Amino acid sequence: MMRFLAVIVSTPMADPNDLAGDARFLRGGGATGALIAKLDWAPTALGPLRDWPDALKAATAMILHASLPMSILAGVDGIEIYNDAYAELIGRRHPKALGARARDTWNNSDIIAQAISSGLGGKNLTLRDVELTLDRRSGPEPAWLNIDCSPILHTDGRPLGVLSIVVETTDRVLAERRVADDAVRQRRMFEQAPGFICILQGPDHVFEFVNNAFKGMFGNRAVIGRRLRDVFPRLGEKFPPIMDMVYRQGERYIARAEPIWLRSTRDGPREERFVDFVLEPVVGERGDVTGVFCMGFEVTDQVRAQAAVLESERRLSAAVSIARLGAFEWDLETREATLDARAREIFGFGPDEPLKIEDVAARIDSRDMERLRSSAEKPGVRREFEYRINLPDGSVRNIVSLSDALHAADGRMLRVTGVFDDVTERRRAEKRQRLLINELNHRVKNTLATVQSIAAQTLRSAPDLPRAREAFEARLLALAAAHDLLTAESWHGARLSDVVASAMAPFETVRRPQISRSGPAVWLTAQRALALSMALHELATNAVKYGALSIPEGRVTIRWTVSDHHRLTLSWVENDGPPVRPAERSGFGTRLLQRSLARELGGDVVFTFAPEGVRCEIHCTIADTRPSAAPEPIEV
C-alpha cells in the first residue's frame, strides 16, 4: 500500500485552489481538501500540516482523489480526515467532523473503537451492513454501510491510523427487509386463509408448511418434516403420480370436487368429504422446481346438493390440468382483430369468421365497458382486466385478459397483444364457497343456541349441582348422538327409525330388551330429527328413573304411523312399571315435550300420566323426501 500511496503523492495533480507550502499534498482535493488546508490542526493530536507524517499525507492525498466515500481515523484519538464523497454521505456532520475525534461526533463508540483498534493493531477489518444514524437534508435517518478498514503504517512499519472505504447499502438492506416482511405477511395470510394450504418440498414431497384450515380439516397431527406418503399412507395409486408430475414437469394441476374418505383424528370415524384443490409448482431462484404448493376448499355440501352434475365433473377432474388460454392481437391502425382457436371458442366466434376489434368489443357486457375504457386510457404497457361477455346463445362468461401494448417512437399505440382466460367456473366455485361458509355459520349459531337452552333449563330444574351436571352431560351426549346421525347424512336429515334407535341405544339391555319399536320408513329434516331425538331421550331418562325402565319387568313400546295426508303419529307407551303419579311440578323433559317439541315440529304433544304407565303421543305433518345418494368416494 505504501508504494501505491507514494506513486499517488509523486504524481502532479490539477490545483484549482493553488495550494502551496505545507498544503501542497492537498492539491486537487476538492472542497474538502480546501477545508483541510484552512483548518487549524495545531490543537489536534496530529499537529499542524507541516508535522504530519509522510504516510498520513500520502493517504490523505489518495482519499481526496477517490470517488468512493473514504475516511482516515488518525492516531489513538481517531482524528477524522475524509474526502468530498464521505462529506456528502455524513450530511450535517460535515464540516464539524473534520479534524475532530471520531468518538465525539459519532454515537457508535463501539464501532469507532473497533476500527481504531484494528488499524493501530496492523489488522484489516470488514464490517457489513452496519446501521448508523445519518443527519442528512431531511433530518436524522437510519442508514446501512459496508466498511472496509485497512491500517496506515509509518515508513518504519509502525501503525499510524486506519483507512476506511465506505459503501452505503441502505437500498439493498431495505429491499431485503421488504422481501422478508412480504414473506412474513404472505405466511400470515396463508395461516388465516379460509381454504386449506400446504407446501411440500423436494421429490419426496416433505411437508414444510400447513395452515390452520389444513389442521382443522385433516386433523392437528404432526406433519412438518414428514413425507406425504408417511402422513397419508393410504393415498392409493392416484395422487402420488399427480404430485410427481407437478414437481417434475412444473405443470399446474386442478381438481374439482375430489371425493375422499378422511379421518379428522387418528382414531376418529371416517368421514366422507369432497374438496376442490390446485397444485402449483414452487419455482426457486434459479428457475428449477423445488416443491409443490397446494391450496383447496372443502365443497362437500355443494357436491351433495348437485350430485348428478358434479359426478361427471369428478370423473373429468383427473384428466384436466389447466384451462387453455386464448391468444389475441389488436391492430389499432387497421382495426383488425386476430384470435386463435381458443379465443374464438371463448367469445363464441366461428373458426373462419373475419373480425374487427369492434366485433369483439360488442360481446363485452355494457356494464363493464365504461370501466374498461377508463382503465385503458391510463398510462402503462401491461394491463389486466376482468369483465363479463354475453354470447349469442344467451350465456354469460367471466373473462380475464392480460395484454401488452406496442408503441411507436412518437408514443402512439400500434398493437395490443395478450391472452384471454375463461374464469367462469372459478367465480362460480368462489360463490359456492361463500354460500358454504354462510351455511356453516348458521348451523353453529343454531347449535350454540340449543346448548344454551339445555343448560339454562337443566340448571333451573335440577335440585342440586351434581345432578344438574349429570343431567346436562346426558343431554349433551344425546344432542351429540343426533348430530353424528345427521352428519352421516350431510345434514340433509335422517330416517325416523335411525333416530329412535340412536336415542334408545343407551337404555336397552342385551339379555332382555325392554324397548320395542315399529313403524314405516319416514324421512325427517335435520331440525325435526334433532327435536325428536332430544324428546325420546327425555322420555327414556324419565322411564329409567321413575317409570317402566326402572324395573326389569317394565316395557316400553314405540310405534309410529303416517296417514295418507302425511300426518305422522308417534306414540310412547309404558307398561308393567311402578304406579304412575303426576309430578308436582314440570321438569325440563315435560317442558321440552309440551312446548319446545310442539313448536319445533309444528304439531301437538299429548302427555298422559295413566296409572299403568306414562303415555305420550306426538302428532305432526311431514312432507319431506330423502335426496338421492351420493357416489362412493375413494379412501384417503
Side-chain angles (χ1 to χ4, degrees):
M1 175 179 281
M2 294 309 300
R3 291 179 183 175
F4 177 69
L5 296 179
V7 171
I8 292 178
V9 171
S10 62
T11 302
M13 301 177 183
D15 185 12
N17 299 313
D18 193 25
L19 298 175
D22 297 331
R24 286 193 305 273
F25 69 95
L26 302 174
R27 289 176 178 175
T32 306
L35 286 175
I36 295 174
K38 294 178 181 180
L39 189 64
D40 183 9
W41 293 87
T44 69
L46 298 180
L49 294 177
R50 64 174 176 274
D51 296 337
W52 284 17
D54 291 340
L56 179 58
K57 292 180 180 179
T60 302
M62 182 192 70
I63 69 171
L64 289 175
H65 290 82
S67 59
L68 289 176
M70 301 177 69
S71 71
I72 295 172
L73 302 181
V76 295
D77 289 337
I79 304 300
E80 282 197 85
I81 306 170
Y82 48 80
N83 61 2
D84 286 343
Y86 188 89
E88 182 178 356
L89 175 71
I90 64 176
R92 296 178 181 177
R93 280 192 170 89
H94 174 73
K96 62 181 180 181
L98 190 63
R101 296 186 304 177
R103 68 173 63 95
D104 294 336
T105 59
W106 294 93
N107 53 9
N108 304 81
S109 57
D110 53 339
I111 297 177
I112 298 300
Q114 189 179 2
I116 294 175
S117 175
S118 67
L120 296 181
K123 299 178 180 179
N124 294 327
L125 175 65
T126 299
L127 301 174
R128 290 291 176 262
D129 297 330
V130 177
E131 183 177 0
L132 298 174
T133 299
L134 299 181
D135 193 1
R136 295 175 171 172
R137 293 180 179 178
S138 58
E141 60 184 50
W144 286 263
L145 309 172
N146 282 348
I147 304 174
D148 292 287
C149 302
S150 301
I152 301 174
L153 305 178
H154 283 282
T155 54
D156 58 2
R158 288 180 297 109
L160 172 62
V162 59
L163 171 66
S164 300
I165 302 175
V166 182
V167 177
E168 183 171 3
T169 60
T170 301
D171 291 341
R172 177 180 59 78
V173 169
L174 292 179
E176 291 175 352
R177 291 190 176 186
R178 284 192 294 269
V179 171
D181 290 342
D182 289 342
V184 171
R185 284 193 294 271
Q186 185 182 59
R187 186 62 61 97
R188 188 179 299 115
M189 179 183 66
F190 287 167
E191 285 283 3
Q192 299 172 353
F196 64 86
I197 294 176
C198 65
I199 301 175
L200 303 101
Q201 287 295 331
D204 292 333
H205 313 306
V206 177
F207 281 95
E208 179 185 82
F209 170 82
V210 296
N211 70 344
N212 293 330
F214 183 96
K215 297 174 185 176
M217 181 171 182
F218 295 94
N220 194 12
R221 64 187 80 184
V223 300
I224 303 302
R226 299 176 60 193
R227 298 186 308 170
L228 178 67
R229 288 181 180 270
D230 297 335
V231 176
F232 299 107
R234 289 192 289 180
L235 280 173
E237 299 300 324
K238 180 177 183 179
F239 289 100
I242 294 174
M243 300 290 291
D244 293 340
M245 178 197 71
V246 175
Y247 180 81
R248 293 171 182 170
Q249 300 181 13
E251 296 181 0
R252 176 190 299 172
Y253 179 84
I254 298 176
R256 303 288 189 190
E258 192 69 39
I260 60 174
W261 277 104
L262 184 66
R263 297 181 188 271
S264 297
T265 60
R266 183 181 299 275
D267 301 323
R270 292 187 308 160
E271 299 176 353
E272 184 185 24
R273 306 276 187 93
F274 291 88
V275 293
D276 285 351
F277 65 89
V278 58
L279 303 176
E280 289 277 3
V282 178
V283 181
E285 295 181 354
R286 296 179 298 179
D288 56 331
V289 177
T290 61
V292 177
F293 173 87
C294 174
M295 181 177 70
F297 297 91
E298 182 177 3
V299 293
T300 303
D301 287 350
Q302 298 96 309
V303 169
R304 288 175 178 168
Q306 302 175 1
V309 176
L310 295 182
E311 176 61 18
S312 62
E313 292 182 0
R314 284 195 297 272
R315 293 174 180 174
L316 293 176
S317 63
V320 176
S321 61
I322 187 172
R324 292 175 297 134
L325 298 177
F328 69 89
E329 179 177 331
W330 310 145
D331 188 327
L332 300 181
E333 295 185 331
T334 65
R335 308 301 294 174
E336 291 183 356
T338 302
L339 279 68
D340 68 0
R342 174 55 179 161
R344 287 175 175 268
E345 178 185 348
I346 291 174
F347 274 77
F349 292 115
D352 301 321
E353 184 179 352
L355 296 173
K356 294 289 186 179
I357 297 176
E358 290 74 16
D359 298 327
V360 180
R363 297 279 167 97
I364 299 176
D365 195 294
S366 59
R367 294 170 293 179
D368 297 327
M369 278 303 299
E370 186 62 32
R371 175 174 53 85
L372 295 180
R373 288 194 185 97
S374 60
S375 299
E377 294 173 356
K378 296 179 181 179
V381 176
R382 174 159 294 182
R383 293 179 173 86
E384 181 175 353
F385 302 117
E386 180 169 352
Y387 47 87
R388 292 158 292 185
I389 61 172
N390 301 308
L391 299 186
D393 61 2
S395 62
V396 179
R397 292 181 181 176
N398 292 82
I399 306 299
V400 171
S401 65
L402 182 65
S403 62
D404 288 331
L406 177 65
H407 294 82
D410 58 2
R412 289 181 300 107
M413 191 182 300
L414 300 177
R415 294 178 180 273
V416 176
T417 59
V419 293
F420 295 125
D421 188 8
D422 186 351
V423 296
T424 306
E425 291 302 319
R426 188 189 314 166
R427 296 296 177 259
R428 289 174 181 170
E430 292 170 355
K431 183 178 181 180
R432 290 196 298 267
Q433 182 64 25
R434 289 193 295 269
L435 292 175
L436 172 61
I437 293 174
N438 292 336
E439 182 179 351
L440 179 61
N441 289 336
H442 175 71
R443 289 181 183 174
V444 170
K445 290 178 181 178
N446 285 348
T447 302
L448 291 177
T450 302
V451 173
Q452 182 182 20
S453 176
I454 292 174
Q457 294 287 351
T458 301
L459 293 174
R460 185 182 305 149
S461 59
D464 52 50
L465 189 58
R467 276 183 279 186
R469 176 180 177 180
E470 179 182 356
F472 182 59
E473 289 179 348
R475 286 161 180 158
L476 283 185
L477 289 175
L479 180 63
H483 275 240
D484 288 341
L485 186 62
L486 291 170
T487 300
E489 297 290 349
S490 300
W491 281 80
H492 293 304
R495 302 178 187 88
L496 178 54
S497 59
D498 292 340
V499 172
V500 174
S502 176
M504 294 299 102
F507 304 98
E508 291 184 305
T509 60
V510 177
R511 294 183 180 178
R512 192 174 70 176
Q514 295 178 266
I515 305 173
S516 63
R517 52 186 181 268
S518 62
V522 176
W523 183 258
L524 300 175
T525 63
Q527 180 181 0
R528 289 176 174 172
L530 280 175
L532 279 176
S533 179
M534 294 300 296
L536 291 170
H537 170 80
E538 292 301 326
L539 288 168
T541 300
N542 187 70
V544 168
K545 291 181 178 180
Y546 314 109
L549 298 183
S550 65
I551 60 174
E553 294 79 12
R555 297 290 183 272
V556 173
T557 302
I558 306 173
R559 289 191 178 92
W560 62 91
T561 60
V562 180
S563 69
D564 294 338
H565 301 289
H566 302 287
R567 185 74 174 174
L568 171 67
T569 299
L570 185 145
S571 63
W572 170 284
V573 179
E574 298 184 22
N575 291 294
D576 301 331
V580 176
R581 290 181 301 172
E584 296 179 0
R585 65 187 184 94
S586 297
F588 172 73
T590 304
R591 290 194 299 272
L592 173 69
L593 290 167
Q594 293 179 333
R595 301 175 188 174
S596 300
L597 180 60
R599 183 176 62 252
E600 292 289 340
L601 296 178
D604 57 88
V605 178
V606 179
F607 217 143
T608 305
F609 292 94
E612 62 272 15
V614 172
R615 296 172 179 270
C616 178
E617 284 197 359
I618 302 170
H619 306 275
C620 67
T621 300
I622 61 171
D624 304 312
T625 57
R626 186 183 180 189
S628 59
E632 289 296 324
I634 64 172
E635 180 178 342
V636 175

